[in-house]
Amino acid sequence: MLFHFKDKFPQLAPYWDKYLEFQKRIEVPAKTVLLEEGKISGQYIFVEKGCIRAALNNNGVDKTIQFFFEKEGLTSLQSFLKNTPSLFTIETIEPSIIYLLPKVYVNKLMAELSGEPGFLNIILAVFAERQLHYMHEFVSFIRDTPEQRYQNLLNERPHIIQRVPQHYIASYLGVTTVHLSRIKSKIAKGQSHF
Amino acid sequence: MLFHFKDKFPQLAPYWDKYLEFQKRIEVPAKTVLLEEGKISGQYIFVEKGCIRAALNNNGVDKTIQFFFEKEGLTSLQSFLKNTPSLFTIETIEPSIIYLLPKVYVNKLMAELSGEPGFLNIILAVFAERQLHYMHEFVSFIRDTPEQRYQNLLNERPHIIQRVPQHYIASYLGVTTVHLSRIKSKIAKGQSHF
DNA sequence: TAAACTTGGTAACATATGTTATCGTCTGCC
DNA sequence: GGCAGACGATAACATATGTTACCAAGTTTA
């Protein structure tokens, strides 16, 4: 969960280089499944180029729950830490270049890093960020309407709307593709009343 | 963020005792505000007895986002760590007995603990749990209907339904009190068809 | 003890959102 | 070049959910 912070925390860079040889670089087309729902996650995923989504199958309906882009790392945390079946699938949206680091090396890396001064603060910052991210997503569902969540996406993470097919965004916002279309057309009409 | 794990991780117990003298014990009635939305969190909150909610004001509408009970600890993490205005209010639901530990002591405690062997694993486990909690809440909004979320509450955390007034639960589920009443009566009808 | 407040149920109506179906465009592929 | 599938817009109708209003039973408080 650390490599995507190597720019933010320069003291991690040597470790990145050291573990580079254990990472498997793969170049894959769109819609390649990197981790299947129900399987156990055995590796950490780092996005060099392209774009990825996490999704789950709910009674035959595909629901996207998160997007990842260049320089971001991910895994199914719960599956990775607890060796339990992953609750979601991880698959590419665009043709992508991915680095995979097997779990054994992640564990070795963590053990090495635990001696690094200041590492505790780094790991706390990383985990706190993730926790706050999910909390904000969750609060947004309690507080905002789907239209407001779409506006938030537009304002705060427009790259998602630009790069990701709309039907993935719809389920991520908690609505159907039909309703997301309605939201967009409503916003477009509103803007034309200038 | 640690004291509520002192039972789970016995090696923390001595620190709990050591810092007990810096904790302020207060006994407060229901609806006592412990942290106001917009203010900066300066202390960690531990629930000895009673029950607490986190909530925010959205255009005059009160929305509950989380509940806490005996032996749980909490704070506005983002406000506490970053010294930014809290996004939510923390207030008691029932008359409660609360322990408050000022931030300076939390920091001291963290510094001391960082030398404890195995502490890294503990803190990672604690943060991972919280992260997964919020992720599950968030995924539930994408995947489930309000009725399903109410059923989940009934099955997984019935104590919430038993102890907390229904209008708090309604906003927590993302619906109005009227609709939660409908959900309950629908479920009751379903069950009576035996 | 009476008034005020809190809590929760229900009805009637309004709005938001889902479902199903149809159409058009684009893109990859053979 | 054409065909199949992916993607997105829209309409018509069905269902879910919100809004407002009213009622009733506790509970707190003056």
Side-chain angles (χ1 to χ4, degrees):
Chain A
M1 313 86 207
L2 294 167
F3 288 149
H4 50 300
F5 284 84
K6 76 186 169 75
D7 296 331
K8 200 168 170 186
F9 302 105
Q11 61 266 56
L12 296 179
Y15 293 95
W16 164 263
D17 296 334
K18 182 175 172 186
Y19 277 81
L20 195 55
E21 62 170 308
F22 304 119
Q23 296 197 56
K24 186 172 161 200
R25 180 186 188 276
I26 59 175
E27 208 155 329
V28 295
K31 300 201 181 187
T32 302
V33 173
L34 300 173
L35 171 67
E36 197 177 339
E37 184 179 343
K39 299 288 173 63
I40 293 173
S41 168
Q43 51 198 1
Y44 192 72
I45 299 169
F46 181 80
V47 185
E48 175 67 27
K49 179 84 189 73
C51 141
I52 284 183
R53 74 188 183 109
L56 51 83
N57 181 300
N58 189 39
N59 298 328
V61 181
D62 178 280
K63 306 267 189 175
T64 298
I65 59 178
Q66 201 168 357
F67 302 105
F68 302 90
F69 300 88
E70 278 81 8
K71 309 304 171 195
E72 291 188 299
L74 68 142
T75 188
S76 173
L77 184 68
Q78 159 256 343
S79 176
F80 188 90
L81 290 181
K82 300 183 182 179
N83 287 301
T84 53
S86 173
L87 296 174
F88 47 82
T89 293
I90 296 175
E91 72 169 31
T92 54
I93 293 175
E94 303 173 357
S96 304
I97 300 172
I98 307 291
Y99 286 90
L100 302 172
L101 183 62
K103 195 186 293 195
V104 279
Y105 295 109
V106 175
N107 290 336
K108 273 189 192 169
L109 176 60
M110 291 297 284
E112 278 192 51
L113 280 170
S114 64
E116 181 82 19
F119 176 66
L120 181 65
N121 286 331
I122 292 176
I123 195 82
L124 285 188
V126 170
F127 270 76
E129 278 308 319
R130 283 289 168 112
Q131 179 175 319
L132 290 172
H133 166 82
Y134 289 116
M135 201 188 85
H136 285 149
E137 297 271 59
F138 151 62
V139 167
S140 171
F141 272 94
I142 290 180
R143 188 189 49 206
D144 304 326
T145 64
E147 180 176 341
Q148 286 172 311
R149 282 202 300 284
Y150 181 74
Q151 288 279 15
N152 291 344
L153 259 199
L154 265 177
N155 296 333
E156 294 158 21
R157 293 183 287 168
H159 58 285
I160 291 182
I161 291 173
Q162 286 153 15
R163 286 179 71 173
V164 173
Q166 192 166 311
H167 57 284
Y168 293 152
I169 295 175
S171 66
Y172 174 69
L173 293 174
V175 298
T176 60
T177 57
V178 174
H179 193 62
L180 179 52
S181 264
R182 280 196 280 245
I183 288 172
K184 285 179 66 176
S185 85
K186 182 182 167 193
I187 289 174
K189 276 180 196 164
Q191 285 178 334
S192 69
H193 292 307
F194 48 84
Chain B
M1 311 90 204
L2 294 166
F3 288 149
H4 50 300
F5 285 85
K6 79 186 166 75
D7 296 330
K8 199 167 171 187
F9 303 105
Q11 64 265 55
L12 296 179
Y15 292 94
W16 165 263
D17 294 334
K18 182 174 173 186
Y19 277 80
L20 195 55
E21 61 170 308
F22 304 120
Q23 297 197 55
K24 187 173 160 198
R25 179 186 189 277
I26 59 175
E27 208 155 329
V28 294
K31 302 202 179 185
T32 303
V33 172
L34 300 173
L35 171 66
E36 196 177 340
E37 184 178 344
K39 299 290 173 61
I40 293 174
S41 167
Q43 52 198 1
Y44 190 72
I45 299 169
F46 180 80
V47 185
E48 176 67 28
K49 180 84 188 69
C51 140
I52 285 182
R53 73 187 184 110
L56 50 85
N57 182 300
N58 188 41
N59 298 329
V61 182
D62 178 280
K63 305 267 188 173
T64 297
I65 59 178
Q66 200 168 356
F67 301 105
F68 303 89
F69 299 88
E70 277 82 8
K71 310 303 173 193
E72 291 188 299
L74 68 143
T75 188
S76 174
L77 185 67
Q78 158 256 346
S79 176
F80 189 90
L81 290 182
K82 300 182 181 179
N83 286 301
T84 52
S86 173
L87 296 173
F88 48 82
T89 291
I90 295 174
E91 72 168 32
T92 55
I93 294 175
E94 304 173 355
S96 304
I97 300 172
I98 306 291
Y99 285 89
L100 302 172
L101 183 63
K103 195 187 294 194
V104 279
Y105 296 108
V106 176
N107 291 335
K108 272 188 192 169
L109 176 61
M110 292 297 285
E112 277 192 52
L113 281 171
S114 65
E116 181 81 20
F119 177 66
L120 181 66
N121 287 331
I122 293 176
I123 194 82
L124 285 188
V126 171
F127 270 76
E129 277 309 319
R130 283 289 168 111
Q131 178 175 319
L132 290 172
H133 166 82
Y134 288 117
M135 201 188 85
H136 285 150
E137 296 270 61
F138 151 62
V139 166
S140 171
F141 272 95
I142 290 181
R143 189 189 48 206
D144 304 325
T145 64
E147 181 176 339
Q148 287 172 310
R149 283 202 299 286
Y150 181 74
Q151 287 280 15
N152 292 344
L153 258 200
L154 264 178
N155 296 333
E156 295 158 21
R157 293 183 285 168
H159 59 286
I160 291 182
I161 292 174
Q162 286 154 14
R163 286 179 72 173
V164 173
Q166 192 165 312
H167 56 284
Y168 294 151
I169 294 176
S171 66
Y172 174 70
L173 293 174
V175 298
T176 60
T177 57
V178 174
H179 194 61
L180 179 52
S181 264
R182 279 196 281 244
I183 288 172
K184 284 178 67 175
S185 84
K186 182 182 168 192
I187 288 174
K189 277 179 196 162
Q191 284 178 334
S192 68
H193 292 308
F194 47 84

